[in-house]
């Protein structure tokens, strides 16, 4: 499952999607809204995206991870719209035979997602609002 959603994301939303009888490990990563970025106070975020393109690229990233590690199922949810502090903006889950592969794949997926998927973040805080440019990740090609 690779999905852009407007719905609130819960920490357990992808567990059943990636579990399987051969999976001795399920690794998850949840990105949440924090109250500051680079010394600036953050009150909330807004995410926008090109949903159909974002989902297509998310699926490609999942397939890339499967080609790099011996993992099974991969699922990614990313939320759009207004998010308040501590809400989940992105949730990634990977089912694998072993923990190392599952954890490494999760890290690869979030780094690649932030560098390549057409999702845009606007931060709001005490000093105004501003768009946040995606990171350039060493070792992750756009």
């Amino acid at each position: 499952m690779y999905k852009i959603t407007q719905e609130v994301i819960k920490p357990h939303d992808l567990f059943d999607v990636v579990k399987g009888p051969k999976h001795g490990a399920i690794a998850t990563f949840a990105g949440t809204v924090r109250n500051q970025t680079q010394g600036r106070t953050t009150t909330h975020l807004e995410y926008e995206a090109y949903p159909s393109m974002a989902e297509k690229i998310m699926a490609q990233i999942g397939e890339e991870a499967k080609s790099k590690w011996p993992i099974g199922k991969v699922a990614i949810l990313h939320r759009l719209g207004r998010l308040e502090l501590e809400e989940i903006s992105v949730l990634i889950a990977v089912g694998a035979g072993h923990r190392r592969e599952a954890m490494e794949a999760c890290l690869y997926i979030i780094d690649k997602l932030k560098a390549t998927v057409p999702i845009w973040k606007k931060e709001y805080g005490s000093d105004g609002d501003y768009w946040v440019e995606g990171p350039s990740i060493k070792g992750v090609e756009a």
Side-chain angles (χ1 to χ4, degrees):
M1 175 198 320
Y2 305 97
K3 186 175 175 187
I4 297 293
T5 184
Q6 295 278 342
E7 303 298 318
V8 172
I9 297 173
K10 303 283 190 209
H12 61 277
D13 281 350
L14 297 178
F15 188 87
D16 286 341
V17 175
V18 301
K19 73 179 182 179
K22 293 182 180 182
H23 298 159
I26 295 176
T28 60
F29 170 82
T32 60
V33 180
R34 63 179 174 260
N35 67 359
Q36 60 79 33
T37 299
Q38 298 178 347
R40 294 181 181 169
T41 300
T42 302
T43 58
H44 66 281
L45 302 177
E46 283 188 20
Y47 283 94
E48 294 182 13
Y50 179 1
S52 62
M53 179 65 75
E55 289 173 346
K56 179 180 175 184
I57 296 172
M58 288 161 50
Q60 290 171 350
I61 293 168
E63 292 306 309
E64 287 174 20
K66 289 178 186 179
S67 73
K68 293 178 179 291
W69 291 274
I71 59 175
K73 298 176 185 175
V74 174
I76 306 170
L77 284 176
H78 202 298
R79 187 165 163 207
L80 300 183
R82 181 180 171 130
L83 281 78
E84 302 300 331
L85 296 178
E86 300 181 20
E87 287 189 303
I88 296 173
S89 57
V90 61
L91 183 64
I92 298 166
V94 175
H98 302 282
R99 66 183 174 273
R100 180 168 307 280
E101 293 84 4
M103 299 298 284
E104 288 175 356
C106 263
L107 180 59
Y108 173 83
I109 291 166
I110 188 58
D111 285 349
K112 185 88 180 216
L113 183 144
K114 290 180 72 66
T116 64
V117 177
I119 298 172
W120 303 280
K121 176 171 69 171
K122 192 172 194 179
E123 295 201 11
Y124 291 81
S126 57
D127 61 347
D129 57 273
Y130 48 92
W131 290 99
V132 177
E133 190 168 330
S136 174
I137 309 290
K138 184 177 181 178
V140 175
E141 297 175 18

